[in-house]
């Protein structure tokens, strides 16, 4: 029962590392894209133009009501159709993650913006800054500082969520491990290894977030 | 310098915060606006630089309409300094950066020039040593003096003060008022919402008393403190002075 | 874009039946997993705030393990790894004789994972009620269990109705992960329709509408529940 053989891991280390690099790359790009699009959506939602605010709200509520897997399937199907030519799984999956995560990021960012006292915007406008300048130099820097821990927590969740690219077979860390597992008949060893690796990364990162939270609180 | 004609403002459809308010402030004049809480005085002062939009009436500052669509309101605001009840310094910037920001981004001054100006103003409000501190490291009185310096850095033609001392501990009130007295003596046009009647008596040319959104009394300070005409102003003064 | 539209496909036999059946499985997984998540998560949330350091450590460890491993990996651990670690008889039962092996595994995996999230919500609810209430309860002679039963939990649950609603909706969406171990729930069914008919647009639209409708319905219902259960004079923010 417990005759486990973990030598399969070092034997396939380069393949697994390639997969891990893919996981990191996807996580990183999705975080950047998600925050950029999310900030844009959050700004639309607080803008004084009702139509824009409603469109942004509809986007956010819509994407938050869908399973990520369905969004991945959607874009995997749509992106090649729209471009009129086949593209790799990576591009469509990346678009899916950015569009999906932006909905969640925008809610975090909106809460961050709302946490900045309204007097700050008034003071910025009072010295003659435009609305855009006030947002850029005064409100957003404070908002991002206040919400850094939550943004990082969302990044950890996103890191875990990238494992769902499994459904379109993109070779991330999990898929690479599964390939090894099936080829060498080492399912137990490989999945335990995958779990330990994810756990270590996420646990250490969440400890870091908690440390940061304490420092920001004082 | 500041002209307000029949200014009306509603919150929603039913609540009228400003009722037919007219007021004029000449160049170099110091006007104190007082009245019970909820009388609309803070709203009134915020309409002068357009932070509070109005429903009807007309406001001009140095001949330029604040309410006209064609006015570049951002430009106008940069020429009218404002000091807030809760200071509203930018907490993520140090004191000097707080004073430099508007100079650089709005007036287009070079950073070195803005820095020189900022340090000179900090010296003027007596805070030269605090230049590199962050707002949270300063006392309330010091923060408010920085906020005044931030307003002055734009070389405004008038300064608006919205209850500048009401969030301060009593022992810090005078350090802020002293700076304001200095400004008044230098000939700055000032509109001040405050309950500090000592300040009003000492430097105000006129006192405006508001109640329920209306300007009830607009008198020279000697007249106002000597013999207020309206009953409401008398009552207010007796409440605020007799203890 | 070159595409042959055929919305009729959704109403054609057998595809309409597939969608309905898929929704059935999705709801079954969600509700069963929620029962596990809610009951275990509540117990863990109580442990996490209890006076006993052993219980607190136990709950903390559970939460850290379950929320730091991707749900998909946990699903694979339960499906592929767990049976191998059991004694041989049990292992055979789990792999061969257990009813609905994939569905059961998905329910357990999603339920246990979400329990860690429910635990954190219950904990924050209890903390929001405040230490004064706990002390007041103890001061009139209640045991710790009674304090939780009669004072802390009734108030905590009222506070956390909105976050618990979104946890349930998270389960509802995450039930789609079950397709990776072969449960043909709603998302899998529409994928299947796409593969059979090449009408991906129509198929995914159907799934999208169904997910959104269920989500918005649950939110509307819970907003009412939140309003009804709110104590007079307390502030309620409404379902998330």
């Amino acid at each position: 029962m417990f005759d486990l053989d973990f030598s399969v891991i070092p034997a396939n280390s380069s393949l697994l590392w390639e997969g891990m690099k893919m996981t990191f790359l996807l996580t990183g790009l999705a975080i950047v894209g998600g925050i950029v699009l999310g900030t844009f959506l959050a700004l639309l939602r607080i803008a004084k133009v009702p139509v824009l605010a409603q469109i942004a709200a509809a986007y956010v509520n819509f994407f938050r009501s869908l399973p990520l897997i369905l969004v991945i399937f959607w874009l995997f199907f749509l992106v090649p159709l729209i471009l009129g030519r086949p593209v790799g799984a990576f591009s469509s999956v990346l678009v899916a993650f950015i569009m999906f995560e932006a909905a969640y990021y925008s809610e975090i960012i909106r809460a961050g913006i709302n946490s900045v006292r309204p007097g700050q915007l008034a003071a910025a406008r009072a010295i003659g800054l435009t609305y855009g300048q006030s947002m850029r130099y005064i409100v957003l820097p404070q908002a991002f500082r206040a919400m850094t821990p939550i943004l990082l927590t969302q990044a950890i969740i996103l890191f875990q969520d990238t494992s769902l690219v499994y459904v379109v077979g993109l070779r991330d860390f999990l898929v690479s491990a599964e390939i090894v597992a099936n080829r060498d008949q080492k399912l137990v060893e490989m999945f335990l290894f995958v779990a330990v690796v994810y756990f270590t990364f996420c646990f250490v990162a969440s400890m870091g977030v908690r440390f940061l939270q304490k420092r920001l609180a004082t | 310098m500041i002209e307000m004609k029949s200014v009306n403002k509603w919150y929603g459809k039913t609540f009228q915060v400003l009722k037919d308010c007219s007021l004029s402030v000449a160049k170099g004049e110091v006007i104190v606006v007082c009245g019970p809480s909820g009388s609309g005085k803070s709203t009134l002062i915020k309409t002068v630089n357009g932070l509070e939009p109005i429903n009807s009436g007309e406001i001009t500052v140095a001949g330029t309409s604040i309410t006209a669509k064609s006015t570049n309101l951002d430009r106008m605001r940069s020429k009218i300094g404002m000091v807030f009840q809760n200071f509203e310094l930018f907490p993520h910037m140090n004191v000097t950066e707080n004073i430099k920001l508007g100079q650089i981004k709005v007036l287009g001054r070079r950073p070195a020039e803005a820095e020189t100006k900022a340090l000179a103003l900090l010296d003027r409000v007596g805070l030269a040593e605090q230049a590199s501190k962050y707002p949270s490291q300063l006392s309330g009185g010091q923060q408010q003096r920085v906020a005044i310096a931030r307003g002055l850095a734009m070389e405004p033609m008038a300064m608006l003060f919205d209850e500048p001392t009401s969030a301060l501990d009593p022992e810090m009130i005078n350090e802020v008022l002293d700076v304001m007295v200095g400004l008044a003596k230098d000939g700055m046009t000032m509109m001040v919402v405050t309950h500090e009647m000592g300040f009003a008596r000492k430097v105000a040319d006129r006192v405006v008393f508001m109640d329920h959104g209306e300007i009830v009394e607009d008198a020279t300070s000697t007249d106002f403190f000597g013999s207020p005409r309206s009953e409401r102003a008398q009552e207010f003064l007796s409440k605020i002075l007799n203890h | 874009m070159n595409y042959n539209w055929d919305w009729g496909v959704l109403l054609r036999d057998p595809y309409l039946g597939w969608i309905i059946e898929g929704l059935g499985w999705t709801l079954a997984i969600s509700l069963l997993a929620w029962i596990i998540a809610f009951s275990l998560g509540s117990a863990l949330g109580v442990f996490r705030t209890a006076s006993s350091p052993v219980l607190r450590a136990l709950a903390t460890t559970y939460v850290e393990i379950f929320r730091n491993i991707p749900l998909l990996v946990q699903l694979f651990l339960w499906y592929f790894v767990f049976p191998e670690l059991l004694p041989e008889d049990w292992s055979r039962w789990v792999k061969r004789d257990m009813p609905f092996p994939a569905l059961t595994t998905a329910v357990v995996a999603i339920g246990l994972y979400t329990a860690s999230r429910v635990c954190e919500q219950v904990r924050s609810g209890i903390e929001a009620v405040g230490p004064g209430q706990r002390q007041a309860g103890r001061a009139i002679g209640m045991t710790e269990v009674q304090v939780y039963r009669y004072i802390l939990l009734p108030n905590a649950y009222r506070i956390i109705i909105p976050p618990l609603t979104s946890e349930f909706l998270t389960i509802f969406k995450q039930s789609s992960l079950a397709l990776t171990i072969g449960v043909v729930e709603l998302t899998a069914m529409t994928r299947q329709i796409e593969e059979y008919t090449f009408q991906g647009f129509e198929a995914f639209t159907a799934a999208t509408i169904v997910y959104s409708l269920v989500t918005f319905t649950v939110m509307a219902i819970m907003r009412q529940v939140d309003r009804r259960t709110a104590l007079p004079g307390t502030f309620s923010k409404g379902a998330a």
Side-chain angles (χ1 to χ4, degrees):
Chain A
M1 177 171 97
F2 279 114
D3 47 353
L4 299 178
D5 172 18
F6 285 101
S7 65
V8 62
I9 296 163
N12 292 285
S13 60
S14 69
L15 180 69
L16 293 170
W17 175 237
E18 285 305 311
M20 192 41 109
K21 280 199 287 193
M22 171 60 82
T23 294
F24 281 140
L25 179 68
L26 190 58
T27 306
L29 292 176
I31 289 174
V32 174
I35 289 182
V36 170
L37 183 56
T39 307
F40 178 68
L41 286 167
L43 288 174
L44 284 188
R45 278 196 85 169
I46 59 164
K48 294 226 164 63
V49 188
V51 186
L52 294 181
Q54 278 160 11
I55 292 173
Y59 178 98
V60 170
N61 291 330
F62 177 67
F63 273 91
R64 279 160 54 97
S65 77
L66 298 183
L68 178 53
I69 292 187
L70 181 62
V71 178
I72 292 174
F73 281 153
W74 252 124
L75 274 301
F76 190 66
F77 161 79
L78 268 184
V79 171
L81 195 68
I82 290 170
L83 294 180
R85 61 183 166 83
V87 289
F90 182 77
S91 330
S92 37
V93 159
L94 180 61
V95 174
F97 271 97
I98 289 175
M99 292 181 72
F100 183 81
E101 292 295 330
Y104 290 82
Y105 275 122
S106 100
E107 285 295 275
I108 296 171
I109 293 163
R110 187 167 68 113
I113 292 173
N114 285 338
S115 76
V116 178
R117 289 189 305 161
Q120 288 285 306
L121 180 61
R125 298 308 300 274
I127 57 172
L129 295 177
T130 62
Y131 183 79
Q133 285 177 319
S134 307
M135 279 292 159
R136 178 160 162 222
Y137 298 114
I138 304 303
V139 177
L140 284 180
Q142 293 182 55
F144 272 100
R145 186 163 305 193
M147 66 203 173
T148 303
I150 311 170
L151 286 177
L152 290 174
T153 303
Q154 184 64 26
I156 297 172
I157 295 171
L158 173 56
F159 175 67
Q160 296 188 15
D161 279 350
T162 57
S163 62
L164 294 187
V165 300
Y166 175 88
V167 297
V168 291
L170 183 68
R171 275 211 197 184
D172 74 331
F173 180 56
L174 176 59
V175 170
S176 305
E178 203 218 13
I179 291 169
V180 175
N182 283 325
R183 192 189 58 206
D184 297 354
Q185 290 300 303
K186 296 281 184 232
L187 252 58
V188 176
E189 289 87 343
M190 286 317 293
F191 283 136
L192 283 175
F193 173 66
V194 168
V196 168
V197 169
Y198 270 111
F199 176 80
T200 310
F201 273 120
C202 298
F203 183 68
V204 170
S206 65
M207 296 294 274
V209 172
R210 225 164 297 163
F211 175 74
L212 186 75
Q213 223 159 5
K214 262 182 208 142
R215 272 198 41 187
L216 284 178
T218 52
Chain B
M1 173 71 69
I2 302 170
E3 293 288 341
M4 311 181 85
K5 278 190 202 121
S6 309
V7 170
N8 284 291
K9 179 178 174 67
W10 281 266
Y11 282 143
K13 287 205 166 111
T14 49
F15 183 63
Q16 190 170 6
V17 262
L18 296 178
K19 293 177 193 156
D20 204 29
C21 294
S22 297
L23 180 68
S24 86
V25 185
K27 191 168 188 306
E29 230 182 349
V30 177
I31 302 285
V32 161
V33 182
C34 62
S37 62
S39 59
K41 52 195 193 303
S42 279
T43 310
L44 182 80
I45 199 170
K46 283 179 182 158
T47 61
V48 175
N49 63 352
L51 282 179
E52 292 276 3
I54 61 175
N55 296 95
S56 72
E58 210 190 318
I59 302 171
T60 60
V61 177
T64 308
S65 166
I66 293 294
T67 41
K69 279 243 157 65
S70 57
T71 303
N72 182 341
L73 206 48
D74 297 324
R75 264 296 97 164
M76 279 311 290
R77 285 187 183 126
S78 72
K79 296 178 190 166
I80 308 167
M82 181 154 206
V83 173
F84 295 83
Q85 182 176 357
N86 293 311
F87 331 132
E88 303 298 351
L89 293 180
F90 306 131
H92 58 305
M93 298 176 176
N94 73 25
V95 164
T96 314
E97 287 163 351
N98 260 281
I99 304 174
K100 280 160 67 182
L101 181 75
Q103 299 185 61
I104 296 169
K105 299 295 174 193
V106 179
L107 303 181
R109 286 190 186 140
R110 284 187 320 263
E113 192 187 346
E115 173 105 13
T116 314
K117 179 95 190 166
L119 294 176
L121 283 166
L122 279 175
D123 195 42
R124 178 167 173 190
V125 298
L127 292 171
E129 287 92 65
Q130 320 290 342
S132 56
K133 288 206 175 145
Y134 279 83
S136 59
Q137 296 169 303
L138 301 181
S139 73
Q142 291 172 324
Q143 290 190 52
Q144 195 60 300
R145 285 187 278 156
V146 174
I148 294 173
R150 181 176 68 183
L152 293 175
M154 310 299 286
E155 290 168 4
M157 48 195 184
M159 286 284 285
L160 309 173
F161 295 82
D162 182 12
E163 304 207 28
T165 57
S166 61
L168 295 176
D169 291 335
E171 73 270 20
M172 294 171 184
I173 290 177
N174 280 331
E175 64 185 64
V176 173
L177 290 180
D178 287 346
V179 172
M180 291 168 62
V181 171
L183 268 181
K185 288 202 173 127
D186 289 350
M188 175 63 77
T189 310
M190 292 163 69
M191 193 165 160
V192 185
V193 172
T194 185
H195 287 157
E196 294 297 331
M197 289 301 125
F199 172 82
R201 210 183 290 232
K202 193 154 124 199
V203 296
D205 297 301
R206 288 201 342 266
V207 177
V208 169
F209 174 75
M210 286 187 75
D211 196 16
H212 297 296
E214 280 175 296
I215 293 182
V216 179
E217 193 146 344
D218 180 349
T220 66
S221 65
T222 335
D223 284 352
F224 184 77
F225 290 109
S227 54
R229 274 160 289 176
S230 71
E231 248 175 64
R232 281 188 276 181
Q234 284 169 14
E235 194 188 333
F236 174 75
L237 273 180
S238 72
K239 270 185 195 154
I240 200 163
L241 293 176
N242 287 353
H243 53 83
Chain C
M1 211 164 85
N2 201 355
Y3 189 80
N4 298 314
W5 300 94
D6 178 15
W7 290 98
V9 70
L10 295 175
L11 300 174
R12 223 167 287 145
D13 201 42
Y15 306 122
L16 179 63
W18 286 8
I19 292 172
I20 294 167
E21 192 192 332
L23 176 62
W25 289 120
T26 290
L27 290 175
I29 299 170
S30 309
L31 293 171
L32 293 171
W34 179 247
I35 293 171
I36 297 177
F38 181 73
S39 37
L40 180 59
S42 296
L44 287 166
V46 169
F47 287 4
R48 198 109 151 80
T49 56
S51 55
S52 153
V54 181
L55 290 182
R56 283 209 305 270
L58 200 74
T60 308
T61 310
Y62 183 96
V63 170
E64 291 301 342
I65 290 175
F66 278 83
R67 77 167 170 200
N68 283 314
I69 299 173
L71 176 55
L72 183 59
V73 175
Q74 292 188 32
L75 199 56
F76 288 169
L77 286 180
W78 291 115
Y79 199 62
F80 297 113
V81 176
F82 175 68
E84 305 299 332
L85 304 178
L86 292 173
E88 213 164 303
D89 300 349
W90 294 24
S91 173
R92 195 176 311 121
W93 184 79
V94 169
K95 279 194 272 189
R96 301 218 187 114
D97 306 329
M98 185 171 79
F100 301 107
L103 179 83
T104 310
T105 307
V107 166
V108 169
I110 297 173
L112 294 182
Y113 169 79
T114 311
S116 71
R117 300 174 54 112
V118 171
C119 164
E120 288 302 275
Q121 302 293 2
V122 171
R123 175 180 71 110
S124 76
I126 290 171
E127 282 171 357
V129 175
Q133 290 285 309
R134 185 192 294 265
Q135 288 161 4
R138 296 309 289 267
I140 57 169
M142 286 192 196
T143 63
E144 187 169 11
V145 175
Q146 286 174 319
V147 169
Y148 273 99
R149 166 77 183 76
Y150 296 110
I151 298 173
L152 297 178
L153 285 177
N155 285 304
Y157 280 131
R158 280 192 176 89
I159 298 172
I160 61 172
I161 286 173
L164 282 187
T165 304
S166 58
E167 289 305 336
F168 173 75
L169 291 171
T170 305
I171 279 199
F172 174 64
K173 289 176 275 177
Q174 281 177 332
S175 64
S176 58
L177 269 68
L179 68 85
T180 59
I181 54 171
V183 182
V184 194
E185 44 63 72
L186 182 57
T187 304
M189 280 294 187
T190 51
R191 185 84 203 274
Q192 201 167 293
I193 296 174
E194 188 229 352
E195 279 165 356
Y196 274 59
T197 65
F198 301 106
Q199 302 300 137
F201 224 106
E202 294 82 345
F204 292 138
T205 301
T208 301
I209 290 172
V210 174
Y211 277 112
S212 298
L213 275 184
V214 174
T215 297
F216 296 138
T217 311
V218 170
M219 274 167 59
I221 294 171
M222 291 314 289
R223 214 169 284 146
Q224 288 303 316
V225 172
D226 195 27
R227 209 165 290 158
R228 296 271 166 82
T229 54
L231 295 172
T234 56
F235 177 67
S236 171
K237 277 187 190 151

